[in-house]
Amino acid sequence: MKNSINGEKSVSHFIKSTDFVTLFSAMLASAYGLMLVFSATYSSLTDGRLISSDVRSMLVSVAMGLFIAIAVSNIDYEIISKLWPVIAAGCAGLMVFTFFFGVAPSARQDAKSWLDLKIFYFQPSELLKVGFIISFSYHLDLVRDRVNKLKTIIPLVIHGAVPIGLVMMTGDAGSALIFMLMFIGMLFFARVNIGYFVAGICAVIVGFVVAWRTGIIGGIQRSRIVALFYPEQYEDVMYQQTNGKIALGSGGLFGQGYLKGDMTQSGAVPENENDMILSVAGEELGFIGAIAVILILGFLIIRVMKTAMNARDNVGYLMCSGIAVMLFAQVLVNIGMELSLLPCIGITLPLFSAGGSSSLCIYLALGIAFSVYRFSRAPEETLFYTK
């Protein structure tokens, strides 16, 4: 009888301490994303297939991601943060392995950033984002009382430069930009003095000018940047973004109808299941459908930040802040690409774009946020709490 009562209490507490609002908003984003990816790949279905490989991969990754998120949510995030050396070493080692043995998809031969696991392709930089959030949060927490001293800032900058360098080695400039924004955002939430940000911005500008003049930034990367300012002279480079904007705006208020978008179903927008997924929503579901995508993601980011503000300690606050910054950075860059405000650098829209690695690792990150939520409420009653 006693065991039965304790079991009922455990289940009751598990339900009460689970952040169902954030969980359901993530699931809503994934369901909406699956619907858009299905439409984007619908016209390519052959031989009586019901779904494309992209949809199948996304379904599997979301299912696995939900399981991982729930499992991780029951592990004290402090335990996770203290495992940062193992996590950081594992993620870094995987990136080095990718540098030597990585493969590039047909659409992005310039970036050998994927591992062919035969069953599916995995992008280690997505896992590195989570590893960086964990290790950098622990680092920032260790130095929180002296975070504005120069001798503290220098190791933090080196810490932030490591993942940027690792992804650049594989030719993934887009992920490098996301890591840079994550690094800056986490420093901001750690309350680093504004003067360091000004100095950092100046250093980035100088570095960019040097890289541009010396040819470090060259080839297709250089063309994509120049094309933003002279689109009429680089029509071939801007083809994807130009058609994406046309599709996005052609749906009007309510869209042309699901599975009925002219440009979506004709394949006129390359990679519209990945980088240009918002164009599918805009064309087929209209302004309402596109805004719904942004509102769902905005709500998800706000929920993660709310968990950060209510965290029981600094490391929980920093980890959730890092997760929110990661999501915000990807949304900002992806939409910037779609509107031709930024060069096309292959950044997916979180939980909406096709890509099993991205969805799986985002749910892993959300699992950490769920852990912060759970253990900041009543840690003594939680399943895997060990203190």
Side-chain angles (χ1 to χ4, degrees), residues 186-321:
M186 291 183 72
L187 287 180
F188 174 80
F189 284 110
R191 301 175 181 86
V192 170
N193 193 294
I194 191 68
Y196 289 113
F197 291 103
V198 175
I201 291 171
C202 292
V204 169
I205 293 173
V206 171
F208 179 82
V209 172
V210 171
W212 186 271
R213 290 190 173 276
T214 58
I216 295 175
I217 299 176
I220 187 62
Q221 294 176 349
R222 192 184 189 100
S223 298
R224 285 170 177 169
I225 295 172
V226 176
L228 294 177
F229 302 96
Y230 304 99
E232 66 284 350
Q233 298 177 24
Y234 290 83
E235 291 183 4
D236 55 335
V237 176
M238 292 296 292
Y239 178 81
Q240 180 185 23
Q241 288 169 285
T242 299
N243 281 13
K245 285 191 297 182
I246 293 172
L248 182 62
S250 65
L253 185 61
F254 298 107
Q256 297 177 13
Y258 186 59
L259 301 179
K260 296 178 181 178
D262 293 334
M263 299 185 75
T264 295
Q265 301 307 322
S266 67
V269 185
E271 300 297 315
N272 62 349
E273 75 278 12
N274 292 315
D275 305 347
M276 297 289 159
I277 195 67
L278 192 63
S279 69
V280 179
E283 183 179 39
E284 297 196 339
L285 304 175
F287 177 78
I288 300 299
I291 286 296
V293 172
I294 297 172
L295 289 177
I296 292 169
L297 288 171
F299 180 77
L300 180 62
I301 293 168
I302 291 170
R303 284 292 305 182
V304 175
M305 274 309 305
K306 183 178 179 181
T307 300
M309 301 306 295
N310 293 328
R312 73 183 181 195
D313 55 23
N314 192 51
V315 74
Y317 161 77
L318 290 168
M319 290 171 85
C320 286
S321 298

Side-chain angles (χ1 to χ4, degrees), residues 38-262:
F38 177 80
S39 179
T41 58
Y42 180 71
S43 61
S44 65
L45 294 177
T46 57
D47 301 325
R49 289 188 300 164
L50 296 177
I51 59 174
S52 66
S53 58
D54 286 313
V55 174
R56 184 173 63 250
S57 175
M58 200 170 173
L59 276 169
V60 172
S61 64
V62 169
M64 290 176 59
L66 284 169
F67 175 80
I68 291 171
I70 296 299
V72 171
S73 75
N74 282 287
I75 303 172
D76 189 347
Y77 63 90
E78 284 191 25
I79 297 173
I80 297 173
S81 70
K82 289 175 181 177
L83 291 174
W84 74 266
V86 177
I87 295 170
C91 291
L94 199 58
M95 288 301 299
V96 173
F97 182 84
T98 304
F99 175 71
F100 291 104
F101 302 103
V103 297
S106 57
R108 293 195 61 193
Q109 288 297 315
D110 59 319
K112 294 185 177 181
S113 306
W114 281 260
L115 292 176
D116 184 0
L117 302 181
K118 303 306 178 183
I119 302 174
F120 60 91
Y121 288 93
F122 181 75
Q123 190 172 12
S125 61
E126 298 294 340
L127 186 61
L128 184 64
K129 291 174 187 175
V130 183
F132 174 69
I133 289 170
I134 295 169
S135 63
F136 201 52
S137 295
Y138 193 83
H139 189 168
L140 287 168
D141 183 58
L142 282 178
V143 300
R144 62 185 179 277
D145 296 328
R146 54 185 189 281
V147 72
N148 284 305
K149 295 184 180 296
L150 184 60
K151 62 181 181 181
T152 299
I153 290 293
I154 292 174
L156 288 172
V157 171
I158 294 172
H159 192 155
V162 170
I164 295 174
L166 287 171
V167 296
M168 286 297 290
M169 284 169 53
T170 64
D172 192 355
S175 291
L177 176 60
I178 297 300
F179 274 105
M180 183 179 293
L181 293 175
M182 289 169 61
F183 169 69
I184 294 170
M186 291 183 72
L187 287 180
F188 174 80
F189 284 110
R191 301 175 181 86
V192 170
N193 193 294
I194 191 68
Y196 289 113
F197 291 103
V198 175
I201 291 171
C202 292
V204 169
I205 293 173
V206 171
F208 179 82
V209 172
V210 171
W212 186 271
R213 290 190 173 276
T214 58
I216 295 175
I217 299 176
I220 187 62
Q221 294 176 349
R222 192 184 189 100
S223 298
R224 285 170 177 169
I225 295 172
V226 176
L228 294 177
F229 302 96
Y230 304 99
E232 66 284 350
Q233 298 177 24
Y234 290 83
E235 291 183 4
D236 55 335
V237 176
M238 292 296 292
Y239 178 81
Q240 180 185 23
Q241 288 169 285
T242 299
N243 281 13
K245 285 191 297 182
I246 293 172
L248 182 62
S250 65
L253 185 61
F254 298 107
Q256 297 177 13
Y258 186 59
L259 301 179
K260 296 178 181 178
D262 293 334

